[in-house]
Amino acid sequence: FSSRRRHTRYIGDWSSDVCSSDLRTDPAPDEPTMHPAIEGMQLLYVGGRPQTKLRIQSLVQEQGADLVCHDGGKTKTSICSLKTLIESSHAVFMPVDRVSHASALETKRLCRQCKKPFITMKSCSMSCFQQALLQLEAYGDDPAEGADFTATE
């Protein structure tokens, strides 16, 4: 591919519209992934996929923190359990692609009410979660500021 986008006459041919600068490269394996200090924290993850939750849980435990998961469902019982989980957590993470609308709205409302960091992610991928962890730094020493952030890849 060239370093500039090329235009084609074929609307369905996206491959020639990609340039080398569009292709992301992963960090070298010997470069450590930096995360804010989360040791001793309890983090709440609302929604997501079961397989990804296990990987995220391993990452969080390696950093000395606990990850509590909520299914992000829309049943009344599921939504009612959010308040207790949010009150006992230091920060709340939510992938917007795998959560019910009702749970998303209630989670946001409760985070503001409880003054807890509420960090949304565009997807439930591991890389989005790692980016979202970095957003905790924006809260500084006082994670109870209660601002909303969106982590993007």
Side-chain angles (χ1 to χ4, degrees):
F1 298 117
S2 71
S3 63
R4 291 272 161 222
R5 292 182 186 268
R6 292 180 289 169
H7 299 282
T8 66
R9 297 177 194 209
Y10 304 106
I11 294 172
D13 182 15
W14 60 267
S15 62
S16 58
D17 288 338
V18 176
C19 67
S20 58
S21 63
D22 290 334
L23 303 176
R24 225 174 43 125
T25 57
D26 292 329
D30 57 344
E31 291 180 27
T33 304
M34 299 302 293
H35 300 290
I38 60 171
E39 186 174 352
M41 289 186 176
Q42 177 175 303
L43 307 177
L44 176 59
Y45 187 81
V46 179
R49 291 188 174 125
Q51 303 89 339
T52 309
K53 286 180 192 178
L54 292 174
R55 292 177 55 214
I56 289 172
Q57 194 163 34
S58 293
L59 173 71
V60 169
Q61 287 174 344
E62 287 172 8
Q63 302 290 319
D66 291 320
L67 184 73
V68 176
C69 296
H70 182 275
D71 65 2
K74 60 183 177 181
T75 65
K76 190 167 186 136
T77 306
S78 180
I79 292 173
C80 288
S81 67
L82 277 170
K83 185 172 184 178
T84 305
L85 293 173
I86 290 171
E87 287 174 339
S88 65
S89 297
H90 291 88
V92 179
F93 298 86
M94 185 179 67
V96 296
D97 66 336
R98 295 287 180 184
V99 66
S100 76
H101 190 70
S103 284
L105 290 174
E106 186 66 3
T107 300
K108 184 174 183 174
R109 185 185 73 76
L110 289 169
C111 284
R112 283 190 176 162
Q113 179 183 324
C114 298
K115 296 184 178 1
K116 300 290 180 159
F118 175 63
I119 302 168
T120 57
M121 304 175 298
K122 73 176 187 174
S123 76
C124 59
S125 70
M126 186 70 164
S127 60
C128 275
F129 182 76
Q130 290 173 327
Q131 186 66 32
L133 275 179
L134 296 175
Q135 296 299 319
L136 278 179
E137 292 181 33
Y139 288 99
D141 294 331
D142 186 13
E145 289 177 12
D148 300 341
F149 289 96
T150 301
T152 58
E153 217 174 350

